[in-house]
Amino acid sequence: MQNIESIDNIIKENPAVMLYFSAPTCNVCHALKPKLLEAISDNFDTFEIVSIDVSTDADIAAHYSVFAIPTVLVFLDGREFLRKSRHMSVGEVINEIKRPYEIMFS
């Protein structure tokens, strides 16, 4: 079971973390998630990905100020680096992460 404390620990312990907020009733969420996960694994060696179902973990969504789905939060070195909600492309997310990620791991 996920909770805010366990997710905060994941963010602190891993240099690159993505939180993916979705819900079972969100068709866009289900279409985007496999494409995004594949692109992340193809482009970045080290990335911890945490999926959060807002229908069962509303307190976690509220803690991270997530009010729309899908929402992607990317944390680099423990700090929120990127926040994308609703209308996003996989390429857009990858492009925004790529340069800082490469600098961190070079």
Side-chain angles (χ1 to χ4, degrees):
M1 176 97 182
Q2 296 179 120
N3 60 42
I4 295 166
E5 184 179 326
S6 67
I7 293 171
D8 284 344
N9 285 335
I10 291 169
I11 293 168
K12 287 176 191 170
E13 295 169 0
N14 294 280
V17 177
M18 175 182 287
L19 304 183
Y20 187 85
F21 293 85
S22 64
T25 57
C26 174
N27 291 329
V28 174
C29 300
H30 296 295
L32 179 65
K33 186 176 180 179
K35 295 174 186 173
L36 187 58
L37 297 183
E38 180 181 359
I40 292 288
S41 67
D42 289 348
N43 287 281
F44 309 110
D45 294 332
T46 308
F47 231 101
E48 186 71 28
I49 299 170
V50 179
S51 295
I52 299 152
D53 179 349
V54 299
S55 67
T56 58
D57 295 317
D59 58 328
I60 296 172
H63 176 77
Y64 289 102
S65 299
V66 171
F67 304 108
I69 53 173
T71 293
V72 171
L73 301 183
V74 174
F75 293 83
L76 299 176
D77 276 340
R79 285 179 243 124
E80 185 178 324
F81 173 77
L82 178 69
R83 177 180 290 255
K84 292 283 183 184
S85 291
R86 297 266 207 149
H87 307 290
M88 69 187 98
S89 72
V90 172
E92 178 184 0
V93 173
I94 298 302
N95 287 337
E96 290 193 41
I97 298 170
K98 198 169 202 95
R99 188 164 190 273
Y101 181 90
E102 289 172 353
I103 291 169
M104 281 177 52
F105 290 97
S106 63

